[in-house]
Amino acid sequence: AKLEKTVRHISRLAVLFSSLLVLAACASSGRVVSTFEGPAYDGPAFRNILVIGVADSYNNRAAFERELVQDIKAGGAEATALYTVLDKDTPINKSTVEKVVDEGDFDAILITRALNRDFKSKAKTGSPSAQAVPKGGSAANLFRYDYEELNEPATLSMELNIIIGSEMVAAASRERVWSIEADISDQASIGVLVIDASNVITARLRKDGLIPK
């Protein structure tokens, strides 16, 4: 009876493992396009990166930043998640980010956010002050943008079908040097979405020479 119970337990584990593989296989990413206006970055790969995620909750943001830091470090660069160096309720603004960058001796900042597109996701409407931020710039252009959208995101819910925007800013010049948009769709869970989005971003960063390969 004990042997039979063990066999049943192993069988359940096998089924669970197979199910996880199926879920992972179901995760798919579509279009990945460059949205950067200007010549392609041709400088040395960045080695010490501050990672910022924008999401509808602190937990989602922390999970995404943590995953992206892990993937960047796998290639040999150093990376730090913003949530690990700021208190939970600290506003994200120009002076705060610049202080973190200078004190941490970062050479680049990578920020990623979910973009509001035609996917079937719940629209999360922000405050009038957030909606009034001029849209001519980008939330990821950290040193020239009003920060209302980062602190009171208009539509940044981490749904299972999203388009993400990711941008790199060089710390020395305070200028954006790279940006992409990517479809992250057909996800099985928030956890799978986070992993897939991180993989897409780091793969493109390595391909474009922004981080070590």
Side-chain angles (χ1 to χ4, degrees), residues 3-212:
L3 177 60
E4 182 179 353
K5 184 178 180 180
T6 301
V7 170
R8 287 201 303 270
H9 178 66
I10 293 174
S11 298
R12 286 197 297 270
L13 289 177
V15 171
L16 175 61
F17 182 70
S18 298
S19 299
L20 290 175
L21 288 178
V22 170
L23 289 177
C26 290
S28 62
S29 297
R31 177 186 63 98
V32 180
V33 298
S34 172
T35 56
F36 181 66
E37 297 179 1
Y41 180 75
D42 61 356
F46 294 108
R47 294 284 178 174
N48 191 16
I49 301 161
L50 177 64
V51 174
I52 302 176
V54 182
D56 63 325
S57 74
Y58 178 82
N59 288 338
N60 280 342
R61 172 190 145 201
F64 179 75
E65 288 180 358
R66 189 164 50 243
E67 184 68 28
L68 193 49
V69 163
Q70 180 178 311
D71 284 351
I72 291 172
K73 284 185 173 182
E78 287 298 318
T80 300
L82 183 66
Y83 86 93
T84 65
V85 295
L86 288 182
D87 293 335
K88 181 177 180 179
D89 297 326
T90 301
I92 303 174
N93 54 46
K94 180 179 178 180
S95 61
T96 299
V97 173
E98 287 192 317
K99 182 178 179 181
V100 171
V101 170
D102 293 339
E103 290 181 351
D105 197 27
F106 296 102
D107 57 9
I109 306 95
L110 177 66
I111 183 168
T112 303
R113 61 193 175 112
L115 304 175
N116 183 20
R117 292 295 186 270
D118 295 329
F119 283 93
K120 296 179 180 179
S121 60
K122 296 179 181 178
K124 179 183 177 183
T125 303
S127 68
S129 63
Q131 295 176 4
V133 175
K135 301 303 179 184
S138 165
N141 198 346
L142 293 176
F143 300 99
R144 294 184 299 176
Y145 199 81
D146 293 331
Y147 280 68
E148 285 91 341
E149 187 172 282
L150 292 178
N151 292 292
E152 297 182 77
T155 307
L156 301 172
S157 182
M158 296 288 282
E159 299 293 341
L160 299 186
N161 294 284
I162 63 172
I163 292 179
I164 60 169
S166 190
E167 302 190 9
M168 184 81 85
V169 174
S173 65
R174 303 316 205 218
E175 295 290 335
R176 185 175 53 183
V177 295
W178 176 93
S179 62
I180 63 166
E181 284 188 7
D183 298 349
I184 310 294
S185 59
D186 299 328
Q187 304 300 321
S189 69
I190 291 295
V192 175
L193 180 148
V194 166
I195 293 171
D196 199 34
S198 180
N199 288 340
V200 167
I201 293 167
T202 51
R204 188 60 180 255
L205 283 169
R206 291 191 176 97
K207 177 182 177 182
D208 294 343
L210 277 296
I211 60 176

